[in-house]
Every structure is written in structure tokens, then in C-alpha cells.
Amino acid sequence: FAVTLSAAIVVSLFISLTLTPMMCARLLRSPDDPQHGALYRMSERAFKGILRLYSSTLGWVLRHQPATFAVTLATIAVTIYLYAIIPKGFFPQQDVGTITGQLQADQAISFQAMRERTIQVSDVIRQDPAIENLVAFEGGGGGGAINTARMFIVLRPIEERKISSDQVIARLRPKLARVAGISVFLQAIQALRIGTRIVGAQYQYTLQSESVAELNEWAPLVFRKLRSLPQLADVNSDQQDRGLQSSLVIDRGTASRFGITSQAVDDTLYDAFGQRQVSTTYTEMNQYHVVMEADPKFWQNPDGLKYIYVTGTGGKQVPLSAFTRYEPSNGPLSINHQGQFPSVTISFNLPVGTALGDAVPVIEAAERDIGLPSTIHGSFSGTAQAYQESLADEPVLIAAALLTVYIVLGILYESMIHPITILSTLPSAGVGALIALLITHNQLDVISFIGIILLIGIVKKNAIMMIDFALAAERENGKSPEEAIYQACLLRFRPITMTTMAAMLGGLPLALGTGVGSELRRPLGIAIVGGLMFSQLLTLYTTPVMYLYLDRLRLRWHALRSKSSEPVAAVNEA
């Protein structure tokens, strides 16, 4: 966006200095030229009526300068207040017509039982009228654990379903909660996604520690606390430490009497439950690997080991239970790491109408309430981490933009005062942008923030047009500051209105656009249109007053410097 905007400005600068003067010489007509059409004459009468209204109201404003100055100060205060209260997010929530879901069952579930649960969930989702198709597969998340599955859901076009993908998810949640033995976490797929970790929700909070045992103790406490917060939805964890496992203990004395070695036991178990390839079947077009395995009914629980026989001395088949016993216990299905340290990631979505800026402080407060030890470090990751970093940079970016504009204007006008007059127009643009975002129920995110940065460049040209003419009128024609700024406002009213309307109408397609992914572009247009509408109305009156106040301040400063230099000059003469 920045590169495109910069290139367009450079090209327009070149055209305005070369092609535009030639076109003016060839195409411009006298205002009194009778060849103007009816539309021109009608629009010109309307504009002159607006100009007369502006002239009379501007005169009243200049006679009541303290009140107008108070409005300027109030605008700055309102800008700060709105910035503090507006919901803040990272990227707008898009509706691209696709939903991804993660299914998570008990860690002791079998593959067959997990398949049945996945089919039940798929049937419930397919019954929703907004769903067009879906595909699901097991082992797609949580390190590929057997108790997880993933699915991709394709929605019908927005014109048919009439509701957003987030609203579809909200409608499916209570239905899916009635499916016993499994938890389902859905999230709308976004065109812009920060972080590549496969998780069950859009935002992540990660706990890290050097000790796996300590992490296993505290992570469930944090998970239960976050699950109770109303600002979060679909809270889930990738901690998989409660899986069932059976340790086979061999009575080596008994096994030796049967002539059975440990290797023979390993080979027999791998034949039954492993992936031993016993042959390859070749066809004209392909080849197929033949894998040996026990009947699936023996996979369901450890009792299937009773039916396993091992070949002993003389080829005798000895039941495994004759010389072994199994000891059930819990074991981790997977241990995740981040930055070389064991980690547990808690993922969450946001309920409809909740901003990420509201959820982040609640999570930080929950961590403090639990009292995590210093050996466990909690931090946001993925999209939530990028949001925190962008939020920390926003004030710096605004300050850098304002400082850059001030320096450039100070060099052009050779003044430290008049750039402040120009920058005084910016709070009105900020108020307009923030009010427009609040009215349309949009958050202050990266996209709308770009629009506000863009407004800094667009809005200040109103003051530049006025002040540039007023300074020339003072220097060349000897007019007083009041006369100069009044004449500047009236003469520059047309170009100010034209440029503002052109920029505002150019932003309307973004603000009103529809279609797949339009949610990402809409806040930019809303911020531009709202900021320009409010600033156009306000700066036409506040800028002249600020110019006069700051000009009087400049004169007083010069007078003070002159008085302070008089004694020095007298001493030098003496």
C-alpha cells in the first residue's frame, strides 16, 4: 500500500508540473464564457450559495475566536478519549466462505471410536443450511495424535446463507456441544494469517518451562481459568499427557524355559500391531505394499494381548500371557516444544462482537490471579503476539509521522509556528475516523490505522492551502493577519472542497464494497470517509482561528526576544 501510494504521488507530481499547465492553457475557459452548459451554471449557482453561507459563518467564527479555540482543544481531548475506548483488533475478521475445525476427544480413545465421533460431528454440521460441503480426516492436529481430527467446511455463497461465517459458527456451537465424547473447535479461515502452527482456534497463548512436570501441573489450571472467561470462546489446549499406555513386563526366567527371547516377543508384537511389509503386489500400472496386521477387533484394549502367541522351542506356540504381564499407566501422546523448551499452547476464539484488545488484558489478569511461578513463562503467540507488537508500535508510528510532517513543513515555511497550525487540523480527522468506525461497529485495527495515517497526508492540505495564501497576502500586499486569513479561506474554499470530495468519493468504494474478503478493505474506506467528512466541516473554521492565535504568539515571542537583546546591545555600545 505504501509503495503504491508513494509511486502514485511521484507520478502525479510530475504530471502536475508538466502536463497540467499545458492543459490549463489549452482547455480552461473564462468563468463568464457563455459556452458553459446548463449543468455548469446550475452547479456554479449552488456553489456560490454555499460560499456565501461559509463567508457569513466564517465572519461569525472570527468574531468569537475563544469559543472556536475551545472547540479545537475539545477535539484533541475527544480524539484521545475515543482512541482509549474504541475496540482494538489486529486484522478485520474476514468471511471467505471456508471454515476449519479441530476435533478433540478423550486421550484414551481408539481410532475406531474416534472415527465414529468424527462421522457424528460431520452429520450434525451437514444439516446446517449454510453448509455446502465438508471433508474430515483423523490425526490432523495436536502432533498428529489419534484423539484429534481436522475438517474443512465450505459454506454456501453469502447471498444464500445471509449470515457471516462467524455467525454460522455461533449457530453450530450448541448443536455440536450435544455430541457426546468430543469437543469441536471451529474458526473462519482468514486470507491473512500470522503463525503457521496447527491449532484449534485463531489466537494462541503459550506456556513454557524447563520442567515438563511443572508445566503439566500448572497448564491445566490456566486452561480451566481461561475457559471460564466470557470474553473467550472455543478455549482448547494442545497438552496431551493423559494417554493410556501398557508396559509389557516379561518374566525372563519363564520365557527362557520356553526358549523365547525378547527379540521374538518384539517381532511377534510388530507383526500384530506394527506396519510390517510382507510382500509387494505388482500390476501393469502400479505396485501395492502388503502389510500384515491383526484383526482390528484385537486393537481396542490390552486384553487383545491374551490372544497373541509366540513361537518357542520346537515350534511350540506359547501364549504371551504365560510369561508376561502388562501394567497400564498414563503417558504423553505428544510433547510440544517452542524455542527448544517444552510448551503448552492454549488456543481461543473470540465471541461475536468481542475485540482482541478486550481479551488480551483479561488473559493477563487471569495469569496474575492464578499466581504462576516465575519458572513458567506465559506469552501470546501467533496472531495475538503480532497484535501486541503492532499495538506497541502504533503510538510510535503516529509520533514519527507527525514529527516528519512538522520538520518538512518547518523547512518549507522557515517557521516553527505555522507547521503547528497545519498539524492542528489532524485531531478533527482522527475524531471523524474513530466515530465512523464506532458507528459501523468496526475495530481500530491495522487496516483502519493505515487509513488514519493516510488522513495525516490528506487533511493537512486544507490548512496548507489557506496558510500559504495568507502568508503571501501578508508579505506582498501588506494585509493584516485577520484580513489575509479571511481572504485565503474564501479563495481556497473551492480547491479545498474539490480535493476533499475527490478523496472522499475515492474511498467510498472501499467503505461500501461487498464480496469475498471485502471485510479486510472496508475499515480503510470507513476511516478515510469519516475522517474527511468531519475534518472538512471543522477545519474550515478552526484553522483560521489557530492561525491567528499562533501568529499572535509568534509576534509576542519576537517582542520578548527583542527586549532581551536590547540590554546586550547597550552594553556593547558602551
Side-chain angles (χ1 to χ4, degrees):
F1 182 82
V3 171
T4 303
L5 186 63
S6 301
I9 291 176
V10 170
V11 173
S12 66
L13 173 65
F14 176 76
I15 292 176
S16 63
L17 295 177
T18 57
L19 182 62
T20 303
M22 182 272 292
M23 295 178 65
C24 290
R26 295 287 184 179
L27 302 178
L28 282 186
R29 299 176 181 177
S30 171
D32 301 325
D33 193 333
Q35 296 181 4
H36 286 300
L39 179 61
Y40 173 88
R41 292 192 296 271
M42 182 178 64
S43 61
E44 192 66 15
R45 285 195 297 268
F47 175 79
K48 289 181 178 179
I50 297 174
L51 183 60
R52 286 193 296 270
L53 176 63
Y54 175 61
S55 176
S56 60
T57 54
L58 179 62
W60 185 90
V61 166
L62 293 179
R63 291 191 298 270
H64 300 80
Q65 295 182 26
T68 308
F69 184 73
V71 170
T72 303
L73 297 179
T75 303
I76 298 174
V78 171
T79 302
I80 298 173
Y81 172 75
L82 292 178
Y83 179 81
I85 67 167
I86 190 171
K88 299 176 181 65
F90 187 48
F91 281 116
Q93 192 72 4
Q94 288 183 272
D95 184 357
V96 298
T98 310
I99 296 174
T100 181
Q102 179 168 307
L103 286 62
Q104 194 172 81
D106 186 84
Q107 297 180 36
I109 197 171
S110 65
F111 181 86
Q112 288 75 18
M114 185 65 191
R115 181 176 59 187
E116 293 177 3
R117 301 288 193 280
T118 304
I119 293 174
Q120 293 177 15
V121 170
S122 301
D123 292 339
V124 171
I125 294 177
R126 283 194 178 97
Q127 293 174 4
D128 192 281
I131 306 302
E132 182 173 306
N133 198 3
L134 69 84
V135 59
F137 53 92
E138 296 177 55
I146 199 173
N147 70 318
T148 61
R150 290 192 67 80
M151 61 172 49
F152 293 94
I153 305 168
V154 179
L155 303 179
R156 299 185 185 278
I158 186 67
E159 296 80 11
E160 298 182 20
R161 49 187 162 98
K162 305 298 184 183
I163 58 176
S164 67
S165 55
D166 286 333
Q167 292 172 321
V168 173
I169 293 174
R171 186 168 66 186
L172 287 172
R173 281 195 186 112
K175 301 177 183 178
L176 297 174
R178 291 192 288 268
V179 181
I182 194 167
S183 299
V184 184
F185 309 102
L186 302 177
Q187 58 176 309
I189 293 180
Q190 302 297 296
L192 293 176
R193 181 178 175 86
I194 307 299
T196 58
R197 181 179 300 176
I198 299 178
V199 291
Q202 189 171 354
Y203 307 102
Q204 300 89 47
Y205 184 73
T206 300
L207 300 172
Q208 291 180 280
S209 176
E210 296 180 0
S211 172
V212 176
E214 193 174 36
L215 197 62
N216 291 338
E217 176 186 355
W218 286 93
L221 299 178
V222 178
F223 172 70
R224 287 194 292 270
K225 178 66 175 179
L226 298 187
R227 204 168 190 176
S228 65
L229 299 177
Q231 293 87 351
L232 308 181
D234 300 333
V235 181
N236 65 95
S237 173
D238 67 354
Q239 188 176 24
Q240 303 277 359
D241 64 334
R242 304 297 297 172
L244 290 180
Q245 65 180 14
S246 293
S247 300
L248 197 64
V249 181
I250 301 175
D251 185 345
R252 295 186 179 276
T254 304
S256 64
R257 288 195 298 271
F258 288 121
I260 297 174
T261 63
S262 297
Q263 185 63 46
V265 175
D266 290 344
D267 292 340
T268 302
L269 292 176
Y270 189 71
D271 291 341
F273 306 110
Q275 293 289 318
R276 187 180 299 282
Q277 179 182 340
V278 294
S279 67
T280 302
T281 301
Y282 297 95
T283 65
E284 295 179 355
M285 300 295 297
N286 210 338
Q287 60 182 11
Y288 302 91
H289 301 296
V290 180
V291 177
M292 183 169 60
E293 63 179 19
D295 193 294
K297 68 181 180 181
F298 297 110
W299 301 350
Q300 307 309 309
N301 56 68
D303 290 338
L305 295 174
K306 298 177 181 178
Y307 304 99
I308 300 298
Y309 286 79
V310 183
T311 303
T313 304
K316 294 181 180 180
Q317 297 295 309
V318 181
L320 192 64
S321 58
F323 60 92
T324 64
R325 72 180 189 277
Y326 62 87
E327 298 176 350
S329 62
N330 293 111
L333 297 180
S334 63
I335 299 179
N336 298 304
H337 289 75
Q338 179 173 301
Q340 299 181 352
F341 290 100
S343 66
V344 173
T345 298
I346 300 174
S347 305
F348 61 93
N349 289 326
L350 300 176
V352 177
T354 301
L356 183 58
D358 299 330
V360 168
V362 171
I363 295 175
E364 293 173 342
E367 179 185 338
R368 292 192 296 269
D369 294 341
I370 294 174
L372 281 178
S374 58
T375 53
I376 295 182
H377 175 65
S379 62
F380 291 94
S381 56
T383 305
Q385 180 186 14
Y387 162 75
Q388 278 194 316
E389 294 174 353
S390 70
L391 194 65
D393 292 340
E394 282 183 3
V396 178
L397 290 175
I398 293 177
L402 295 179
L403 180 62
T404 303
V405 172
Y406 176 82
I407 293 174
V408 172
L409 293 176
I411 294 173
L412 293 176
Y413 287 106
E414 298 181 352
S415 171
M416 298 178 63
I417 293 295
H418 294 307
I420 299 177
T421 308
I422 296 172
L423 293 177
S424 68
T425 61
L426 301 183
S428 62
V431 169
L434 296 176
I435 290 177
L437 292 172
L438 287 171
I439 292 176
T440 56
H441 305 289
N442 281 276
Q443 303 172 6
L444 179 61
D445 47 41
V446 172
I447 304 302
S448 55
F449 183 74
I450 291 174
I452 293 177
I453 291 292
L454 182 60
L455 282 174
I456 295 177
I458 298 177
V459 172
K460 72 179 188 303
K461 54 84 184 171
N462 292 2
I464 290 176
M465 290 183 182
M466 297 179 187
I467 294 172
D468 189 66
F469 184 89
L471 291 176
E474 286 187 48
R475 289 194 301 263
E476 299 174 6
N477 301 328
K479 293 182 178 295
S480 66
E482 289 78 5
E483 294 176 336
I485 194 64
Y486 181 78
Q487 185 180 6
C489 291
L490 297 182
L491 291 178
R492 295 302 193 186
F493 181 74
R494 183 189 293 269
I496 289 175
T497 303
M498 290 172 58
T499 53
T500 300
M501 291 298 296
M504 188 169 63
L505 293 175
L508 276 180
L510 294 175
L512 304 178
T514 58
V516 177
S518 62
E519 298 86 358
L520 185 66
R521 304 180 294 272
R522 192 174 299 137
L524 177 62
I526 291 174
I528 292 175
V529 173
L532 289 176
M533 288 179 63
F534 194 84
S535 65
Q536 173 73 359
L537 178 63
L538 199 60
T539 57
L540 288 174
Y541 298 101
T542 59
T543 301
V545 174
M546 287 295 299
Y547 173 81
L548 295 176
Y549 267 99
L550 292 176
D551 189 69
R552 287 193 286 267
L553 178 64
R554 177 182 62 84
L555 294 177
R556 290 175 184 175
W557 171 252
H558 285 308
L560 289 175
R561 291 186 62 184
S562 299
K563 290 181 180 180
S564 61
S565 62
E566 286 178 0
V568 177
V571 171
N572 292 336
E573 291 176 0

